[in-house]
Amino acid sequence: MDMIDEKTQSSRRATDRSGLIIRGISYICIGGFALCCLLPFLLVLGTSLTSEAAVKKYGFNFWPKEFSTFAYKIVLENPGQILGSYAVTMGITIVGTAVGLLIVAMTGYALQRPDFLFRNKISFFIYFTTLFSGGLVPFYLLITQYLHLKDNYLAVLLPGLLSPFLIIMMKSFVRSIPHAITESAKIDGAGDFTIFVKLILPMTTPALATIGLFIALGYWNEWYNSMLFLSADMQYRPLQLYLYNVVTKADAIRNSAAASNVPLSDVPIETMKMAIAVIATGPVILFYPFVQRYFIKGITVGAVKG
């Protein structure tokens, strides 16, 4: 009996030891991957706080060789324009995320309902748009000639409200909710909208957080539609387009140099690019930790149960 107990304890110790080794290896791998994701941003941040002369002499560094905030001074020399662009981008992001999330959630819920008559045909049309598109010219004519949204923020807001990929993701997640819940609520006299708001939405919080993050990032990083439909005559344009123009347009660089009484050769081109990257990504980095756990759960549940 003692021999059996001793063998059992030895087996448990071996199992615990192997478990510790596996966990240790897992932590090392995850830590290494997280470090690889963090290092590029630290490199961008360190370079943005380095003088242009040091960057030309020593190259990019994680720690500033010669500390300087001149790049931020050049980018932020017109704070009213920056704040206006931030306000436009935040407004489009907040409104677009809220409306887009509602549309995607309602569409995904309706398409997984077994009692919805045309769900397969509509699902096919939504999926078809991921394979073929009308192209840039018809899209431009639709926005400018038919909808008359030239120089209108709706031209940036409307195209991002609906995404076939996000609808398919939402449909897969909602499918994991038993249809018996909907049927029992109908027996109790609840309508479709009541079922959707009071039963379905609370149970799809991870999917909503995941899809909301995708939509928000899409609006926050949007610059292409802004470049197509918002002319330079507008007082404020989205942040990404404004920062893009600061870097790419020689006139903006010359104006910045002239305003700061700096020779054109001393304009911090490289450090300014890094400063712009920090300004553009900063709010997203601060916001992401609050939805990270929902984001991971939404991705995994949708993938396993879809």
Side-chain angles (χ1 to χ4, degrees):
M1 194 69 173
D2 294 337
M3 291 289 293
I4 295 175
D5 292 339
E6 186 176 348
K7 289 182 178 179
T8 302
Q9 292 177 0
S10 299
S11 176
R12 288 178 179 175
R13 284 195 295 269
T15 302
D16 294 339
R17 206 178 302 114
S18 62
L20 288 174
I21 293 174
I22 293 174
R23 283 197 294 271
I25 295 174
S26 300
Y27 290 149
I28 292 173
C29 293
I30 294 173
F33 180 75
L35 186 62
C36 291
C37 296
L38 182 62
L39 287 178
F41 182 77
L42 294 179
L43 182 63
V44 170
L45 181 61
T47 305
S48 69
L49 295 172
T50 306
S51 65
E52 185 75 8
V55 171
K56 292 179 179 179
K57 184 176 181 180
Y58 302 106
F60 300 123
N61 289 281
F62 294 101
W63 189 259
K65 293 285 186 180
E66 297 177 6
F67 183 82
S68 174
T69 59
F70 187 60
Y72 288 95
K73 180 181 178 181
I74 293 293
V75 176
L76 301 176
E77 69 172 355
N78 190 352
Q81 190 68 39
I82 285 282
L83 292 176
S85 297
Y86 255 114
V88 169
T89 299
M90 291 184 66
I92 292 176
T93 300
I94 293 173
V95 175
T97 301
V99 178
L101 195 58
L102 178 63
I103 294 175
V104 170
M106 294 178 68
T107 306
Y109 169 65
L111 292 179
Q112 65 80 38
R113 287 275 298 264
D115 54 347
F116 182 45
L117 185 60
F118 301 105
R119 67 183 187 279
N120 292 329
K121 294 180 180 180
I122 296 178
S123 298
F124 171 76
F125 286 128
I126 292 174
Y127 174 73
F128 185 82
T129 61
T130 64
L131 303 177
F132 303 96
S133 65
L136 177 60
V137 173
F139 175 61
Y140 184 85
L141 293 177
L142 173 66
I143 297 296
T144 58
Q145 303 299 321
Y146 292 92
L147 299 181
H148 303 290
L149 294 179
K150 182 69 174 177
D151 290 341
N152 192 317
Y153 293 128
L154 289 177
V156 181
L157 179 68
L158 294 180
L161 291 179
L162 206 58
S163 169
F165 170 73
L166 298 181
I167 291 175
I168 294 172
M169 180 185 293
M170 188 68 191
K171 177 183 175 182
S172 300
F173 191 94
V174 177
R175 190 181 296 162
S176 63
I177 301 175
H179 184 61
I181 296 177
T182 302
E183 293 179 339
S184 62
K186 277 193 170 184
I187 293 174
D188 292 337
D192 290 329
F193 193 75
T194 302
I195 295 172
F196 174 72
V197 173
K198 294 187 176 180
L199 294 178
I200 302 301
L201 287 184
M203 290 188 289
T204 57
T205 302
L208 294 176
T210 303
I211 293 172
L213 182 61
F214 279 133
I215 297 175
L217 287 178
Y219 278 117
W220 186 265
N221 295 322
E222 158 56 36
W223 66 273
Y224 186 68
N225 288 339
S226 303
M227 181 182 66
L228 289 177
F229 305 119
L230 303 182
S231 66
D233 296 333
M234 299 191 67
Q235 183 177 7
Y236 300 117
R237 293 194 288 177
L239 178 67
Q240 303 293 345
L241 182 60
Y242 172 76
L243 297 177
Y244 173 81
N245 289 334
V246 169
V247 176
T248 57
K249 288 187 177 180
D251 289 340
I253 296 176
R254 293 191 182 94
N255 291 335
S256 298
S260 303
N261 295 321
V262 176
L264 185 61
S265 59
D266 294 337
V267 174
I269 302 297
E270 297 299 329
T271 56
M272 189 166 62
K273 293 178 182 178
M274 301 302 177
I276 286 173
V278 173
I279 293 172
T281 59
V284 177
I285 293 176
L286 295 176
F287 173 74
Y288 179 75
F290 295 101
V291 297
Q292 180 182 11
R293 61 192 183 99
Y294 296 111
F295 178 78
I296 296 174
K297 185 177 179 182
I299 289 291
T300 55
V301 173
V304 173
K305 295 188 177 182

